[in-house]
Amino acid sequence: MPDSRQPSLWIIDALQAALQRDGKEGLSRQLARLLRQWIGSGRLAGDSRLPASRDLARSLGLGRNTVLDAYEQLQAEGYVATRAGSGSYVTRLFAPAAAEAPASTRGQPLGLSQRGHELFATSGLPVGLFGAFAPGVPEIRQFPHHAWQQLLSRQQRRATAEELGYRADGGLPALREALADYLQLSRGVRCRPEQIIVTQGAQQALELAARLLADPGDVAWVEEPGYVGAHAAMRGAALQLVPAPVDHDGLNPALVADPRPPKLIYTTPSHQYPSGVVMSLSRRLALLESAQRHGAWIIEDDYDSEFRYVSQPQPALQGLAQDERVIYVGTLAKVMYPGLRVGYLVVPDALIDPFRGCNARLYREGALPVQAALAEFFSSGLFARHVRRMRELYRERQHCLRSALAASGAEHLALSPGEAGLHLVATLPPGCNEEALSAAAARQQVWLRPLSRHYLAAPQQRGFVLGYAGVDEAAIRRGVAVMAQVLKEQT
């Protein structure tokens, strides 16, 4: 194979052979699809430089905008990044495979701390990050990419030397103001712009909170079942994780079996992940009382509250707290696209300086021109319009998933209520082997995330976490057909 890190002629030759100029699929979509497939398969390795858009357009006999649209789509999805004055490159996430290690050393990382070993042992990323039924993936293809690229380009041109340097003020003031207005109006969060710390994703926000608010060995309650990203953040801070069972009202502090008082309590009250339960008002008040009694911090992860289909979302837990012991965490990954890597925390006044300073020291602040584009995305109304469109689309896709399951012969699967969010939980009957069913579906490129992977202790339920937001209705129906087939074969 030629060295794929050079913009060699094989890319142009391969595209010339593969493009179907009289097909139903547009040429820009074909270009993006072909390059995406080659990147995913390793044919185009990480750090490969793509042909210049002008050269590729001329060689293929296409308009330059056709090529630019394809490159911008791949950039929005995280497959491609641009480097000033150098061109477009495959991101390093898709690095060439390293030479195979000797059998005697594979799977035995040397030099890790005990904490490192424990974190590594539980940090395997799931197979199947896109497609039916990968959970947590929004619809990227219908994001207003063109308008967003215009905002980004304008802000990049306007960026000052100060905005391109090191910063330690918690994020661009204009974005913090936009977020404060949005959170107060839509989520009932009590905050001023100064209390918002912009991070490079919600995962970084969770790590920062865990490291600053608890010491190694402290106890953290985590929902059971719960979000494995929160487990990883707290394991990385060397905390002792204690499962806090979730019932029909949400996390139940009365059911925690471990008598040790917690230092942190992690919860997703607006739409519990993965069960989909919405925490009741009485349970919220009980949780706040429990945190006050133990002197614990609550970390409220409000990851997808924009997408509620039955009624208006309940106000954030943070808005109910009177003693400022709730740290509110949000993200734009589900509303916009995961590769944006923008999240945020809302912290009480006493923690503003520590969080700002430690965020700047440990992680550095995110790209200020991107934050400026985000502020304009909010102020222009693009954000609100996109949320409304996606809420209706996801409602339709959830209905499609339910209807397809009902017609497939898999109607015996019990589904979560689906009042909000981007996924449903399908509970399996007793005796079903989650892992075997998941592996069988994966061989047909359908991803069934086992529910048991979200438990710290022995699973109380078996089932699948089914993401429906990022796939169209045809892919949903095909995925359901595969799921029904493997269920029939394995049960």
Side-chain angles (χ1 to χ4, degrees), residues 311-336:
S311 61
Q312 291 297 315
Q314 290 197 31
L317 183 67
Q318 189 264 9
L320 294 174
Q322 299 301 315
D323 60 355
E324 294 192 319
R325 297 203 59 90
V326 178
I327 306 296
Y328 182 91
V329 175
T331 178
L332 297 177
K334 303 294 187 291
V335 186
M336 298 180 67

Side-chain angles (χ1 to χ4, degrees), residues 82-314:
T82 59
R83 301 179 189 173
S86 181
S88 297
Y89 289 76
V90 176
T91 60
R92 290 190 177 95
L93 292 173
F94 302 92
E100 188 173 10
S104 60
T105 61
R106 285 200 305 271
Q108 301 175 21
L110 300 178
L112 290 180
S113 64
Q114 181 61 37
R115 176 174 55 183
H117 278 289
E118 292 175 1
L119 182 60
F120 177 68
T122 57
S123 293
L125 292 176
V127 175
L129 296 175
F130 298 97
F133 293 100
V137 180
E139 175 51 82
I140 296 172
R141 293 162 295 186
Q142 296 196 34
F143 181 75
H145 293 289
H146 182 68
W148 173 241
Q149 289 297 328
Q150 287 183 320
L151 294 179
L152 278 176
S153 297
R154 181 159 60 245
Q155 295 299 337
Q156 289 282 5
R157 291 194 300 270
R158 293 176 177 175
T160 65
E162 183 184 9
E163 290 173 344
L164 296 177
Y166 293 117
R167 299 285 290 263
D169 50 6
L172 189 75
L175 177 58
R176 289 190 277 114
E177 290 170 8
L179 287 170
D181 289 343
Y182 168 70
L183 292 173
Q184 291 178 70
L185 291 173
S186 69
R187 301 298 301 119
V189 173
R190 295 181 294 110
C191 68
R192 306 185 321 282
E194 293 80 11
Q195 293 176 261
I196 294 176
I197 311 296
V198 179
T199 62
Q200 296 182 63
Q203 189 67 31
Q204 185 185 101
L206 294 175
E207 292 175 8
L208 188 63
R211 295 174 74 174
L212 292 187
L213 299 178
D215 292 314
D218 280 345
V219 168
W221 286 359
V222 293
E223 294 174 322
E224 179 82 335
Y227 174 48
V228 294
H231 299 173
M234 295 184 188
R235 283 193 174 102
L239 305 185
Q240 298 294 312
L241 274 58
V242 169
V246 171
D247 60 20
H248 61 279
D249 281 329
L251 185 157
N252 190 342
L255 296 180
V256 177
D258 194 310
R260 295 175 295 171
K263 190 65 176 290
L264 298 180
I265 302 173
Y266 171 83
T267 183
T268 52
S270 297
H271 182 230
Q272 200 277 329
Y273 192 88
S275 73
V277 169
V278 177
M279 187 179 286
S280 65
L281 177 59
S282 61
R283 184 60 56 76
R284 291 170 187 243
L285 295 174
L287 184 59
L288 289 170
E289 190 279 329
S290 182
Q292 185 179 44
R293 185 172 69 255
H294 292 301
W297 291 97
I298 294 176
I299 300 178
E300 177 182 12
D301 188 350
D302 202 12
Y303 65 97
D304 68 356
S305 60
E306 291 84 3
F307 303 118
R308 188 158 183 84
Y309 313 120
V310 177
S311 61
Q312 291 297 315
Q314 290 197 31

Side-chain angles (χ1 to χ4, degrees), residues 417-473:
E419 297 177 2
L422 312 182
H423 73 274
L424 292 175
V425 171
T427 306
L428 288 168
C432 291
N433 186 327
E434 277 179 327
E435 296 293 343
L437 292 166
S438 178
R443 289 192 284 271
Q444 300 186 60
Q445 302 296 296
V446 172
W447 316 110
L448 305 179
R449 176 81 61 81
L451 180 60
S452 60
R453 296 180 187 175
H454 293 271
Y455 284 87
L456 286 177
Q460 301 301 306
Q461 285 185 320
R462 301 281 181 175
F464 299 119
V465 182
L466 304 177
Y468 55 78
V471 285
D472 60 28
E473 295 190 3

